[in-house]
Amino acid sequence: MAIPFSYNFRNLRVRKTTTVMTALGIALTVAVLLGIMAMVVGLNVALQATGHPLQMIVVRKNSNSELGSQVAREALLSIKYKDGIQKFPNGEPMVSGEIVRVINLPRKNNPEGANVNIRGLSQLGIEMRPGIRLAEGNWFEPGQREIVVGQSIALRYVNAALGDTLRFGRGDWKIVGVLDAGKTAFDNEIWGELNQIASDFNQNETLSSVLVRATDPIALEALKNSMADDQRLYLDAKSEVEYYSQLTSSADPVKFLGVFVAIIMAIGSSFAAMNTMYAAVVRRAREIGTLRVLGFSRGSILLSFVVESLLLSLLGGLFGVLLVIPLNGLKSGIGNFGTTFSEIGFDFRITPFIVLVGIAFATIMGIFGGLLPARTAAKQDILNALREL
Amino acid sequence: MENNLVIETVDLHKEYKRDEFQVIALQNANLQIHKGEFVALMGPSGSGKSTLLYLIAAIDRPSQGRVRVLGQDLQQLSDKEIAHWRNEHVGFVFQTFNLIPVLTARENVELPLLLTNLSKKERIEHAETALKLVALSDRMTHYPRQLSGGQEQRVAIARAIVTDPALILADEPTGDLDAHSAQEVLTILTKLNQEHGKTVVMVTHDPHAARYASKIRYLEKGELLPEGSPPPA
Ligand SMILES: Nc1ncnc2c1ncn2[C@@H]1O[C@H](COP(=O)(O)OP(=O)(O)OP(=O)(O)O)[C@@H](O)[C@H]1O
Ligand SMILES: [Mg+2]
């Protein structure tokens, strides 16, 4: 049997100031990493869950997003009669021409405002998005200046709740409903009737995009190809799922920076742990010698100091997790500078997986920090150790 | 007679290299100690007493010569085997007690038993028995800093005997103690020797302490003087 944990625990308690300081360093490191991960996971949930696997978004060739794209209204007709398109029970093809524009709205915690997507679409477009339902209110009526806002918009923007009035385009719009898009990207959009939006933004000749649902995955590929090959239409098609998950790449610089900072901090924290453990080895030299005389092997000394370093770092990891837990569910947004000009709202998500990663990260720091000092302790000659004061 | 030999050293030699110098700590020591003896090792500072004791306990390895303890040739054992062997057969008592400060008296005494197959319950029983033997039953849950020097040394003795080793080695066990505590410790060692049949080897500077032993051996400048020699000047 090895040297008991209680021995390590109590040694950590005896030098509590050093222990707390070192653990705090580790805690901050873990918190930075987990904060970033919570953001990435939240963003992924918001974006990757968006889209139907059999649907594609058709935009003008070389447009990366719906915003920069213009598709002639006539093209809609050619698309409608292509093969492999799924049909509604009434025989109508599942093809929805849509307009997407961006407006600036004042945010509750940012009066300068942020960009929000306005989507003009018809009843078809709504029916092609089965994950979406109304959380409150009703759908907009054709011919009325009525809109429906995503949940995230209602929550984070000024005067954006049910019954409020928003001013954009040529005048006021009444909010008659709130969308529940299941935390997908549509929770960050405002929807209105296609023709109303088109005339308000003076966009009567063109659409921004066309949403198309194929009958099966093979037809989806075929449709995408035929769309891209049609020189006359000059269009590109992307699968809807792909389109939204690609938007997450706008968070890449933040991700990279966060991970970079976390790694630098981890190296620092490992050295801090190492320093603490070296000091412990020096201070306890005579104890180590005594344990050896009592019959404990070099191996159990090594293990004991690694365990102590691990306990120290796990304590730090635990602090770190506690530090980030309040972030869970916290709503935030990130600008999509790369592909669209609108903001994507998301919730920070501290999942059990993230907690595990934090603990694992702390464990790695503990092992790195503890291994060398533990080796020094174990390699020590018994007599030299006993001679220390 | 032969099987009664607990310690036998043959031409035992130990030198330390310090910088350019070589220090001969022990030369050609031929020592025989029999079962049930209580031997005091005496001699001036630096004469090699501790060195001899460490070689017997296999805490250090000789430069030359052989040590045989309890029928075991120590040079034949690997480091790992030696650790195990020492745990089982030798109890070591230090001048400075060397208790683990974060462990209670009972936990300190229990430590060597962690290397045995005893259950938790048995370990506690053994530790309590050992503490009773040194008259510290009422101090089991005290930490070393809550004990007097004499009490600390008695806990250390309990720790040394808890695995029931045949041999007890003590390096100036009374060196840091007042006269009264020293006497208590010596009384315990004597009791272990006489009532429990332990063989005891004790290094000491104190002629008064040496009187508790059944035999005194002197060292001088790394040499073990022949049995019956008068003390070196
Ligand atoms: N690790 C070492 N390195 C170098 N020299 C050493 C070492 N250990 C002991 N010596 C030397 O060996 C000699 C014998 O030392 P030892 O400790 O055995 O003496 P001692 O009789 O126990 O003395 P004391 O009564 O002061 O404890 C001394 O000259 C000492 O300086
Ligand atoms: Mg000595």
Side-chain angles (χ1 to χ4, degrees):
Chain A
M1 200 168 154
I3 300 166
F5 284 179
S6 59
Y7 168 71
N8 305 108
F9 260 123
R10 290 185 207 169
N11 272 304
L12 287 172
R13 213 173 53 195
V14 163
R15 51 176 210 270
K16 43 181 169 311
T17 317
T18 338
T19 299
V20 167
M21 294 301 207
T22 315
L24 269 183
I26 292 168
L28 291 177
T29 308
V30 168
V32 166
L33 182 77
L34 297 197
I36 292 295
M37 286 187 67
M39 185 198 84
V40 170
V41 170
L43 202 57
N44 283 351
V45 168
L47 292 172
Q48 277 172 354
T50 311
H52 187 286
L54 285 178
Q55 285 179 181
M56 60 183 169
I57 295 178
V58 181
V59 290
R60 182 189 161 89
K61 221 178 202 53
N62 301 326
S63 293
N64 282 324
S65 81
E66 296 176 282
L67 274 174
S69 151
Q70 293 205 328
V71 179
R73 286 221 178 201
E74 299 88 77
L76 190 60
L77 289 175
S78 339
I79 294 172
K80 263 191 181 167
Y81 299 108
K82 284 189 183 284
D83 289 333
I85 294 180
Q86 222 178 98
K87 301 211 163 46
F88 285 109
N90 66 2
E92 181 77 13
M94 289 195 173
V95 172
S96 163
E98 303 180 0
I99 288 181
V100 180
R101 300 296 291 246
V102 66
I103 60 163
N104 188 278
L105 283 182
R107 238 175 51 191
K108 283 181 182 162
N109 61 0
N110 178 11
E112 286 193 8
N115 290 333
V116 173
N117 277 359
I118 307 277
R119 184 180 297 274
L121 75 177
S122 61
Q123 187 60 33
L124 286 180
I126 295 172
E127 280 168 30
M128 283 174 69
R129 293 179 172 90
I132 287 173
R133 51 176 206 89
L134 280 177
E136 303 175 80
N138 304 302
W139 288 106
F140 40 81
E141 292 289 334
Q144 301 294 316
R145 297 183 65 79
E146 290 179 348
I147 48 171
V148 161
V149 299
Q151 259 178 342
S152 176
I153 301 281
L155 213 65
R156 297 189 306 138
Y157 287 81
V158 182
N159 283 338
L162 183 68
D164 286 343
T165 304
L166 285 178
R167 176 176 286 267
F168 62 83
R170 289 191 186 148
D172 288 343
W173 295 81
K174 190 166 169 54
I175 300 173
V176 296
V178 175
L179 278 182
D180 176 1
K183 305 230 184 275
T184 62
F186 300 124
D187 269 335
N188 298 283
E189 292 190 345
I190 295 176
W191 287 6
E193 205 264 322
L194 177 66
N195 292 323
Q196 286 288 336
I197 300 286
S199 67
D200 248 48
F201 286 91
N202 270 329
Q203 189 177 338
N204 292 311
E205 307 300 319
T206 61
L207 298 163
S208 303
S209 64
V210 181
L211 187 66
V212 178
R213 186 181 303 177
T215 50
D216 55 84
I218 295 167
L220 180 75
E221 284 310 305
L223 272 169
K224 268 162 68 179
N225 289 336
S226 98
M227 221 66 86
D229 292 346
D230 194 327
Q231 296 300 325
R232 190 177 45 89
L233 291 175
Y234 202 62
L235 296 173
D236 247 343
K238 282 197 178 91
S239 98
E240 197 185 9
V241 175
E242 221 173 82
Y243 176 85
Y244 284 101
S245 58
Q246 152 206 312
L247 294 183
T248 44
S249 62
S250 61
D252 282 351
V254 184
K255 238 191 278 186
F256 175 79
L257 190 71
V259 170
F260 181 74
V261 169
I263 286 174
I264 299 286
M265 284 178 74
I267 293 171
S269 305
S270 290
F271 275 110
M274 197 182 292
N275 194 33
T276 308
M277 291 313 297
Y278 265 125
V281 169
V282 170
R283 194 153 8 89
R284 305 219 300 266
R286 206 144 54 105
E287 247 171 86
I288 296 165
T290 305
L291 289 169
R292 294 282 309 282
V293 170
L294 294 180
F296 287 95
S297 63
R298 289 182 196 276
S300 46
I301 301 286
L302 181 95
L303 187 71
S304 178
F305 275 91
V306 170
V307 162
E308 192 164 316
S309 177
L310 261 178
L311 287 176
L312 178 64
S313 61
L314 284 178
L315 186 73
L318 217 65
F319 278 168
V321 169
L322 290 181
L323 278 178
V324 293
I325 279 197
L327 283 184
N328 193 26
L330 183 78
K331 300 204 180 311
S332 184
I334 186 165
N336 267 290
F337 306 109
T339 35
T340 78
F341 292 98
S342 70
E343 203 205 36
I344 293 291
F346 61 89
D347 297 356
F348 277 90
R349 294 201 176 206
I350 309 291
T351 60
F353 173 75
I354 287 186
V355 170
L356 272 180
V357 168
I359 299 294
F361 196 52
T363 306
I364 292 171
M365 283 187 264
I367 290 178
F368 264 107
L371 215 47
L372 285 178
R375 221 174 65 115
T376 307
K379 281 182 74 171
Q380 226 165 37
D381 184 64
I382 303 183
L383 275 186
N384 288 337
L386 286 174
R387 281 209 179 84
E388 296 293 328
L389 286 177
Chain B
M1 196 65 189
E2 266 303 299
N3 5 356
N4 260 349
L5 264 186
V6 172
I7 299 169
E8 185 185 26
T9 73
V10 180
D11 295 334
L12 199 59
H13 194 84
K14 178 72 188 180
E15 49 191 59
Y16 292 104
K17 284 199 180 69
R18 194 191 269 160
D19 304 325
E20 307 289 278
F21 294 97
Q22 266 188 347
V23 182
I24 298 178
L26 194 68
Q27 48 185 332
N28 298 323
N30 290 289
L31 175 71
Q32 294 195 336
I33 291 176
H34 296 90
K35 185 167 169 22
E37 282 190 301
F38 184 163
V39 176
L41 294 180
M42 295 192 77
S45 186
S47 58
K49 306 179 296 291
S50 297
T51 301
L52 179 55
L53 209 61
Y54 289 142
L55 291 175
I56 293 168
I59 290 172
D60 207 357
R61 299 241 186 204
S63 310
Q64 278 164 42
R66 292 193 305 118
V67 195
R68 204 176 158 81
V69 180
L70 296 161
Q72 176 67 55
D73 269 322
L74 297 186
Q75 50 279 354
Q76 286 174 353
L77 299 180
S78 70
D79 273 5
K80 220 187 165 107
E81 289 167 333
I82 277 178
H84 186 78
W85 173 85
R86 197 188 304 118
N87 176 259
E88 202 175 326
H89 299 291
V90 179
F92 204 98
V93 181
F94 305 89
Q95 178 176 353
T96 49
F97 328 137
N98 289 3
L99 297 179
I100 308 296
V102 298
L103 301 181
T104 64
R106 191 172 59 200
E107 287 165 339
N108 263 286
V109 175
E110 193 194 336
L111 264 183
L113 297 178
L114 293 174
L115 296 164
T116 66
N117 294 326
L118 297 180
S119 68
K120 175 83 190 164
K121 191 167 154 273
E122 289 169 314
R123 291 200 304 264
I124 289 179
E125 273 170 23
H126 283 53
E128 291 183 351
T129 309
L131 278 166
K132 204 154 150 198
L133 220 129
V134 297
L136 282 176
S137 297
D138 54 341
R139 291 285 191 278
M140 309 243 222
T141 56
H142 287 226
Y143 286 91
R145 63 169 187 284
Q146 299 168 320
L147 300 171
S148 73
Q151 289 168 336
E152 278 196 78
Q153 191 60 299
R154 277 146 64 197
V155 173
I157 292 174
R159 182 177 67 183
I161 60 171
V162 76
T163 54
D164 198 22
L167 179 61
I168 293 170
L169 304 175
D171 194 354
E172 300 188 40
T174 60
D176 279 8
L177 299 180
D178 62 88
H180 178 71
S181 302
Q183 198 202 321
E184 280 177 345
V185 162
L186 290 164
T187 307
I188 291 169
L189 288 176
T190 307
K191 184 167 129 190
L192 289 170
N193 172 245
Q194 291 180 352
E195 292 173 23
H196 299 265
K198 310 282 180 203
T199 305
V200 180
V201 181
M202 173 179 75
V203 169
T204 184
H205 273 294
D206 177 9
H208 181 74
R211 243 175 272 145
Y212 284 79
S214 54
K215 188 191 277 181
I216 302 179
R217 296 297 303 266
Y218 294 99
L219 284 105
E220 193 183 13
K221 292 181 183 149
E223 264 183 87
L224 180 69
L225 303 184
E227 219 174 313
S229 307

